Amino acid sequence: SETEQKKPQQQEEYFDWNQQWYPILPVSYLDDDKPVSITVMDKDLVVWRNKSGDSHDVSVFLDCCPHRMAPLSTGKVVKDEETGSYNIACRYHGFEFDAKGQISKIPMMKPPADGTTQSSKLSKKIMCARAYPTRTYGGLVYAYLGEFETEEDLPDI
């Protein structure tokens, strides 16, 4: 009828809860050598200081070693003597992962005979921990729990 007004069709914007930055915990809760376990958005996470010295000196991983699925939060933060960086070591077999989740050391693997570092010989694509982008802001650690192509694609906090 003529008295009815037609409303313009509006598309509702889809809100994806995973495609957001989440405050994980205060930076002050972190020790230098002990990872912290926390659950956010039904994801078990491990948070640890990677001591990289930049604004991203905290790492957030899925709390699961890709080798035997042991929780990385029961491991420890160790200094890699070959590279000088800090890694998280799984308590189960001692596999070490760098700040980006790349495998950097397998304790039972023999050192390379050519004098290069073990981490340079490991295939980075086969075994890596699931790392989430992190930022520290206002004394809090934030993690982006969604999927993304590159860090440049991430929204601001």
Side-chain angles (χ1 to χ4, degrees), residues 65-68 72 78-83 87-98 101-112 116-129:
C65 178
H67 177 235
R68 293 284 185 201
L72 289 169
V78 296
K79 184 173 184 177
D80 185 335
E81 298 303 327
E82 291 180 348
T83 64
N87 300 328
I88 189 168
C90 178
R91 181 176 176 187
Y92 192 56
H93 282 122
F95 284 40
E96 293 182 21
F97 301 90
D98 68 13
Q102 301 295 320
I103 183 79
S104 60
K105 188 173 185 182
I106 300 174
M108 62 286 285
M109 186 176 166
K110 292 180 182 177
T116 60
T117 63
Q118 188 184 91
S119 61
S120 68
K121 295 294 182 186
L122 295 172
S123 175
K124 306 293 187 192
K125 293 180 182 178
I126 291 176
M127 186 180 302
C128 60

Side-chain angles (χ1 to χ4, degrees), residues 38-49:
I38 192 164
T39 301
V40 177
M41 296 294 295
D42 206 29
K43 294 181 185 198
D44 294 326
L45 305 174
V46 59
V47 185
W48 59 285
R49 286 188 186 274

